Amino acid sequence: MKPMNSGLDVLVTALAPAVWGSTYLVTTEFLPPDHPITMAATRALPAGLLLLLFVRKLPGRDWLGKVMVVGGLNFSVFFCCLFIAAYRLPGGVAATLGATQALFVIALARGLMGTPVRLLSVIAALAGVFGVALLVLGPDAALDPIGVAAGIGGSAAMGAGTVLTRKWQPPVSPLTFTAWQLTAGGLLLVPVAMVFEPSLPALEPHYLGGIAYLSLIGGAATYFLWFRGIARIEPAAVSMLPMMSPMTAVILGWVVLGQTLSPVQWLGAAIVLASVWAGQHVGRALSGSKQPGHEPSGRASFTKCNSAAAVVPDTGSSPQRQYEASK
């Protein structure tokens, strides 16, 4: 498959974290209160099952374990932590903690993949977190300890899931891999929700609308774009895109709830955008430094991500035949 223009790939992938920034507003205004695990399950499982009906492909036994791991990190743990933080913290505070994902990606890529830690990546990530803090943290921010722990834990889980999703890519389409992960993450959450949370109250229309939005748009559609981007874009660049989520959260608070932005917050927004640009610069510099050559065999290089062929070597056969041959 011929890769698209890298700038367009970045823009399309950035839509996912931009939409995720609406989660905090939707959680507080359109979802039943105090049901974080149930909301996490209802966000993941219906979207996963719908995508499975569309792709009509299940993982083979050799991929089940890996799918459960990445699905558990990217959806079970991350979604639970996300909703706990959204219920317990102001949306801006929760989004700020989510911005630390970039640091976890850098550290975990080094530990799991042996990727060198580059100074510009660290500086860009730290600058982004600082910019987000200026953007959304105020003197009245309520730092509930459980909410803070959930926010940081969610960032760590999503960071690990991002790295492992890049490391483990089956020879199937990003849409199929997304369907597997969403379904696995939702299935893992169902028994936990049944044991630890009370039954849902009567679902009013705005509850149903909020659940549908988070499942179909904030789940199926955006995660397809996200995993598609992971397969195409330099990981250092991908790690910076979640910075767009807190910006969306603040903008929605400004437009929908009538909140205003101070000069310090506008400065924070500028710093966030600059850090995202710096992350993209690192990615383009790394890709440009690669000399042409044959595709790596076995596990694809973590820093080579021009297209799906960077993960699945081109054997001249279709992904379906490659997948069947690998079982």
Side-chain angles (χ1 to χ4, degrees), residues 72-170:
L73 289 170
N74 284 324
F75 296 108
S76 302
V77 179
F78 173 66
F79 275 2
C80 276
C81 291
L82 179 91
F83 282 109
I84 291 172
Y87 279 122
R88 289 178 170 268
L89 298 173
V93 176
T96 300
L97 296 174
T100 60
Q101 178 191 331
L103 296 176
F104 285 110
V105 169
I106 293 171
L108 291 168
R110 173 61 179 172
L112 296 176
M113 304 290 292
T115 304
V117 177
R118 291 170 173 81
L119 180 60
L120 184 57
S121 295
V122 176
I123 293 175
L126 290 173
V129 173
F130 176 69
V132 170
L134 292 178
L135 182 64
V136 298
L137 284 179
D140 298 326
L143 299 180
D144 176 86
I146 296 177
V148 170
I152 295 176
S155 293
M158 190 63 175
T162 297
V163 174
L164 290 177
T165 298
R166 181 64 188 159
K167 179 180 179 181
W168 297 334
Q169 291 204 14

Side-chain angles (χ1 to χ4, degrees), residues 211-275:
I211 292 172
Y213 170 81
L214 289 180
S215 179
L216 299 179
I217 299 177
T222 53
Y223 275 97
F224 163 66
L225 296 179
W226 180 249
F227 290 122
R228 172 189 175 278
I230 290 176
R232 290 169 172 251
I233 305 171
E234 163 61 38
V238 173
S239 70
M240 302 308 298
L241 294 181
M243 299 292 183
M244 304 304 296
S245 182
M247 292 189 64
T248 301
V250 170
I251 292 172
L252 287 176
W254 181 31
V255 174
V256 178
L257 302 179
Q259 300 171 348
T260 58
L261 296 179
S262 68
V264 172
Q265 288 177 307
W266 284 115
L267 175 62
I271 293 175
V272 170
L273 291 175
S275 71

Side-chain angles (χ1 to χ4, degrees), residues 264-322:
V264 172
Q265 288 177 307
W266 284 115
L267 175 62
I271 293 175
V272 170
L273 291 175
S275 71
V276 172
W277 176 88
Q280 305 304 323
H281 178 74
V282 172
R284 287 193 295 268
L286 289 175
S287 298
S289 66
K290 295 291 182 180
Q291 296 297 324
H294 64 278
E295 292 289 343
S297 61
R299 188 181 72 188
S301 169
F302 186 69
T303 58
K304 184 173 179 59
C305 52
N306 289 330
S307 69
V311 180
V312 184
D314 184 6
T315 61
S317 60
S318 68
Q320 171 69 26
R321 289 194 295 270
Q322 292 176 33

Side-chain angles (χ1 to χ4, degrees), residues 5-20:
N5 178 270
S6 59
L8 181 58
D9 281 336
V10 171
L11 179 62
V12 171
T13 306
L15 289 175
V19 171
W20 296 337

